[in-house]
Amino acid sequence: MDRTTRLFRVRRTGLQLLQDRGYALSVDEEMTAEDLGEFKKKFGEDEHIQRENLGLTVSKINMNEGEGDANSIMVFFIEEPKVGVKAIKEVATQMRNEGGNVNRSIIVIQD
């Protein structure tokens, strides 16, 4: 299986997981999850795909008042083949910069 198809399937599965757990996806995210052609249009193909561009931030559909970003989650696609302390620190920094209250994340690594 080529790299584009593999990344498409991984991202689609991640989006389905988020949707099943009550997170709201934009129409654009749903389209790229349903159609490989749309995915290629948005992210490119093979070596031109930048893994960090595949990430996203979503929030729960039915948040209670006052929860703010507490029900938001960020998805990261790490570029490095091995994830170390440096990559985790970068993820934590991005989570703090995204409003400061995002306390959940999914990190997708390479196999």
Side-chain angles (χ1 to χ4, degrees):
M1 178 181 334
D2 69 332
R3 182 174 189 256
T4 304
T5 303
R6 192 173 74 238
L7 286 171
F8 167 73
R9 290 173 134 187
V10 168
R11 191 167 193 274
R12 180 182 63 193
T13 301
L15 292 174
Q16 288 171 345
L17 177 142
L18 292 169
Q19 208 167 27
D20 290 347
R21 284 157 181 77
Y23 288 93
L25 303 178
S26 70
V27 173
D28 184 46
E29 290 161 351
E30 288 180 4
M31 285 179 61
T32 60
E34 293 174 7
D35 183 38
L36 181 59
E38 287 294 322
F39 179 87
K40 288 178 179 179
K41 234 190 288 187
K42 182 172 182 177
F43 298 110
E45 290 189 52
D46 297 323
E47 68 276 351
H48 300 293
I49 296 176
Q50 299 295 315
R51 289 176 60 92
E52 63 257 7
N53 294 340
L54 299 174
L56 62 135
T57 303
V58 292
S59 298
K60 286 271 189 174
I61 294 171
N62 297 319
M63 292 193 326
N64 294 326
E65 197 171 315
E67 288 182 345
D69 289 334
N71 278 328
S72 295
I73 188 168
M74 294 181 77
V75 180
F76 298 92
F77 285 76
I78 303 296
E79 192 71 43
E80 296 86 28
K82 294 196 178 208
V83 178
V85 174
K86 179 184 171 193
I88 299 300
K89 284 183 178 180
E90 288 175 8
V91 165
T93 300
Q94 288 182 20
M95 289 173 67
R96 277 193 297 273
N97 292 341
E98 186 73 30
N101 293 324
V102 178
N103 57 10
R104 295 179 178 95
S105 67
I106 297 173
I107 300 174
V108 181
I109 61 172
Q110 297 183 35
D111 53 0

